[in-house]
Amino acid sequence: MTATLIRPSPTTGKARRKPALARTRRREAIALVLPSLIPILVLSVAPLVVGIFLAFTDARLVRHPDYGFAGVDNFTKLVGNDLFWDSLRIGMIWTVGVTLLQLAAAMGLALLLNSGLRLQGLTRVLALVPWAMPPVVVAIMWQMIYSANGGPLNAFLGSVGLPSDVNWLGDFSTALPAVIVVGVWVGMPQTTVTLLAGLQQIPAELHEAASVDGAGAWRRFTAVTWPSLRPIVTSITSLNFIWNFNSFSLVYVLTAGGPGGKTMVPVLFIYLEAFKNREIGYAAAMGLVLVVVVVLILAVYLRSQFRDDRAVKGR
Amino acid sequence: MRVLVRPAQYAALALYILFLGFPLLWLISASVKSSGELNSLTVSLLPGEWHWDNYTEALEKQGLVRSAANSLIVALASTALSVVIAVPASYVLARLKGKVRAAGVGWILVSQVFPVVLIILPLYLILRTLGLADNLAGLTLVHTTYMLPFALWMLQGYVAAIPVELEEAGAMDGASRLTVLRTIVFPLLAPGVVATAMFSFVSSWNEFFFALVLLQSPENYTLPITLNMFVGGEGKVALGPLAAGAVLAAIPSIVFFSILRRKLTSGLMAGAVKG
């Protein structure tokens, strides 16, 4: 383990880098990676494998697990479970709603911040605060905002002459939209920052050329800005979709799925199935169905994006 | 028309600032209001008079202080652990080429979008078998594992920025790999390690889901779980101390994030664009 570790250099920088950790150093590399690999294998890969396995068993959450192979029973049982499909539908409204509103709001803010207004520093700091805060604190904060007794939202609505006795998180019709707004508040900052970075990479000449050709603001956005941002929009939309679909804490603390299951997103539903009803195998089957649903939706979305790209390039 | 563009833009920006900032302002304001003012029907943004009792009251709640201590222990331990095991691995990840690196990077990206709900049940069973469910050590291990991918991702970026030539020069002078790592790589990596550590600390400090599932005894609760319990037991806990507790719980995250702002945005950009 001396100087031979790093081989004498061939002429080019690239070729020199290539054997940086080749054969003789494999053992070293393994030794350096192992401390990371063990916890990942035990607490991340193994649970994933076990989770898929559990989906085909009738396991229950009891002290001495005595369970057997159940084949596809969990899945056939699932087909008739209306509550599960309800939660999937609510989860889709939540996920698509938050993801799209996040994108729209973040796009607006990013464009504003990119157009040379003052207050940029303040807005940028402010924009990252929601994302940094513990989800529990965010939920507590918004419960106060939405409060039916002396909450500032109702007070504001009252002062402009609108109905001011809405129980935002407790009413069947307003609970889901109210929760979606909080989701947008939390996730918008990160999307804004990413879009802003993307906007700053668009060469100013492109906009100038479009202006010279007589394009208005909207035309410049659709012809220059949007196409340039497309790859970034595709990746953050995919990531946001998955994060929102998997998000748990916010809804759990805000409404715990209520009122009357109107905000029961699938992750929450499965959590209750596993830890309140103690049906682990059944819950794992639901989890597996969710993963398949998300992967399918993403595959369709990404495919459509790439097809568009090809169409554009083919022209 | 043209003349109106700027004012309209400022109006839009003001709306954004209101949307982003008002909830925070309201929370802070609620934390210094008297209970009489909080329960009155007239709603005002600024407190009539400033009351710091909410903070002392929140701190007098044993549950809150103990769970803050638990959160601190778990966050510090999992941060230290994840940095110690991520630094060597990130070095390999950054310097290695070919399939192994591709597999590593692939795993990091996949882990960012993991279906937590599918993992949580077996994870609970595994930890229970190991006797680590409802246990701060168990939660520390889980936080470490789930912070690792992002820590690896951040750190390997910092390693990649260190010129290989520096290491080679060290090796030419006869230094062993360990010496090269210790005397050349690690010192240059220090700023990256600090940024990664801060991010890990905040992730663990804020984490809710794993703590909710794994911890059952109130004496083991972390701060987010205890705060959530106070929400659940509405009426028992006054709004003012709850708001004060929430503000206290948010302070470390916000301080660290404002320090980290720039580094995180570039790191996330890389992740988003390549993801």
Side-chain angles (χ1 to χ4, degrees):
Chain A
M1 299 239 284
T2 52
T4 49
L5 288 179
I6 289 162
R7 289 184 182 173
S9 55
T11 38
T12 67
K14 267 200 172 161
R16 197 192 298 166
R17 232 158 258 169
K18 217 173 182 182
L21 266 163
R23 244 170 277 139
T24 48
R25 273 155 262 152
R26 187 166 287 166
R27 205 174 297 158
E28 257 180 20
I30 293 173
L32 292 174
V33 169
L34 213 56
S36 291
L37 212 54
I38 290 173
I40 289 178
L41 285 177
V42 175
L43 297 177
S44 193
V45 178
L48 188 65
V49 174
V50 175
I52 294 170
F53 166 75
L54 281 176
F56 298 93
T57 68
D58 56 8
R60 291 179 50 81
L61 188 67
V62 284
R63 260 291 153 198
H64 295 287
D66 180 20
Y67 56 87
F69 192 63
V72 293
D73 284 3
N74 288 327
F75 296 93
T76 48
K77 197 165 124 196
L78 203 58
V79 175
N81 189 339
D82 288 344
L83 289 177
F84 176 71
W85 298 110
D86 269 354
S87 83
L88 201 57
R89 189 180 52 81
I90 290 167
M92 278 302 150
I93 298 173
W94 150 266
T95 308
V96 173
V98 174
T99 306
L100 289 184
L101 289 174
Q102 251 170 19
L103 182 64
M107 183 68 85
L109 184 54
L111 287 171
L112 279 177
L113 289 178
N114 199 40
S115 65
L117 297 182
R118 282 163 201 275
L119 294 172
Q120 290 210 9
L122 169 73
T123 320
R124 283 187 201 200
V125 172
L126 212 53
L128 277 175
V129 167
W131 181 48
M133 290 174 79
V136 174
V137 173
V138 171
I140 291 171
M141 197 168 76
W142 278 91
Q143 278 177 337
M144 291 181 179
I145 302 275
Y146 281 137
S147 167
N149 318 308
L153 180 59
N154 275 336
F156 170 75
L157 291 176
S159 70
V160 295
L162 290 166
S164 59
D165 55 350
V166 186
N167 185 2
W168 293 98
L169 292 170
D171 195 286
F172 275 21
S173 58
T174 56
L176 188 54
V179 171
I180 287 176
V181 168
V182 184
V184 174
W185 188 84
V186 172
M188 194 183 102
Q190 193 182 331
T191 311
T192 307
V193 169
T194 312
L195 288 176
L196 191 58
L199 283 175
Q200 284 162 354
Q201 283 168 358
I202 303 175
E205 295 83 52
L206 282 181
H207 278 282
E208 283 157 21
S211 287
V212 171
D213 289 347
W218 176 249
R219 184 88 186 88
R220 285 204 302 278
F221 178 76
T222 53
V224 178
T225 312
W226 182 255
S228 316
L229 283 181
R230 268 281 301 279
I232 294 181
V233 169
T234 304
S235 58
I236 53 172
T237 305
S238 311
L239 285 173
N240 282 344
F241 184 88
I242 299 170
W243 283 329
N244 292 328
F245 194 83
N246 284 331
S247 74
F248 170 88
S249 315
L250 212 55
V251 185
Y252 179 81
V253 184
L254 273 172
T255 62
K262 291 290 178 202
T263 59
M264 185 67 79
V265 293
V267 181
L268 198 53
F269 187 78
I270 294 175
Y271 165 79
L272 294 175
E273 190 67 40
F275 293 99
K276 296 286 181 287
N277 293 350
R278 310 185 148 242
E279 293 276 3
I280 285 204
Y282 194 31
M286 291 176 185
L288 202 53
V289 170
L290 283 197
V291 174
V292 172
V293 168
V294 173
V295 169
L296 279 180
I297 291 175
L298 274 186
V300 170
Y301 170 67
L302 289 175
R303 223 194 137 121
S304 74
Q305 293 301 96
F306 284 125
R307 189 175 300 147
D308 286 356
D309 278 355
R310 248 178 283 144
V312 171
K313 276 174 195 146
R315 235 187 287 158
Chain B
M1 273 304 282
R2 292 265 129 196
V3 192
L4 285 176
V5 169
R6 275 281 127 138
Q9 283 180 330
Y10 274 111
L13 196 62
L15 273 180
Y16 275 109
I17 291 177
L18 191 71
F19 177 58
L20 290 171
F22 181 80
L24 194 61
L25 204 60
W26 187 263
L27 179 74
I28 295 170
S29 154
S31 75
V32 290
K33 279 180 182 167
S34 68
S35 63
E37 199 174 351
L38 279 169
N39 293 323
S40 82
L41 286 176
T42 47
V43 177
S44 63
L45 176 55
L46 292 174
E49 50 183 301
W50 293 61
H51 273 261
W52 296 102
D53 320 6
N54 290 328
Y55 284 88
T56 48
E57 215 171 297
L59 288 174
E60 272 162 17
K61 286 191 187 309
Q62 273 312 303
L64 210 72
V65 176
R66 171 181 272 233
S67 47
N70 288 344
S71 278
L72 194 65
I73 292 167
V74 171
L76 286 177
S78 55
T79 299
L81 206 55
S82 72
V83 166
V84 165
I85 64 182
V87 165
S90 67
Y91 173 79
V92 175
L93 201 63
R95 291 292 190 239
L96 209 65
K97 305 288 165 197
K99 276 182 201 154
V100 185
R101 181 183 150 78
V105 172
W107 173 257
I108 288 175
L109 292 176
V110 168
S111 68
Q112 290 306 292
V113 297
F114 243 43
V116 192
V117 74
L118 190 60
I119 293 165
I120 192 69
L121 318 159
L123 187 64
Y124 175 79
L125 295 178
I126 289 171
L127 286 171
R128 200 174 69 176
T129 312
L130 298 172
L132 290 173
D134 192 17
N135 179 310
L136 291 183
L139 186 66
T140 300
L141 284 178
V142 172
H143 281 187
T144 305
T145 309
Y146 286 88
M147 274 150 28
L148 258 182
F150 196 82
L152 282 171
W153 185 246
M154 276 179 85
L155 282 170
Q156 67 91 24
Y158 285 101
V159 174
I162 300 173
V164 181
E165 287 74 13
L166 284 181
E167 291 177 46
E168 284 169 4
M172 293 295 184
D173 292 346
S176 72
R177 173 161 301 264
L178 264 181
T179 312
V180 168
L181 284 180
R182 209 186 59 230
T183 59
I184 300 174
V185 178
F186 291 164
L188 290 170
L189 208 53
V193 168
V194 172
T196 310
M198 281 199 251
F199 184 84
S200 300
F201 181 91
V202 172
S203 314
S204 173
W205 180 265
N206 289 355
E207 203 281 325
F208 181 76
F209 185 51
F210 290 127
L212 177 76
V213 172
L214 295 176
L215 305 175
Q216 272 113 37
S217 330
E219 69 266 22
N220 285 338
Y221 284 168
T222 54
L223 195 50
I225 305 302
T226 303
L227 282 174
N228 176 52
M229 289 296 156
F230 287 167
V231 177
E234 216 178 338
K236 284 178 206 159
V237 170
L239 219 48
L242 177 63
V247 170
L248 291 176
I251 286 176
S253 317
I254 291 178
V255 168
F256 278 171
F257 261 61
S258 24
I259 300 171
L260 276 182
R261 197 159 57 93
R262 264 163 220 289
K263 282 171 179 148
L264 277 177
T265 24
S266 52
L268 281 166
M269 258 308 282
V273 174
K274 285 170 195 159

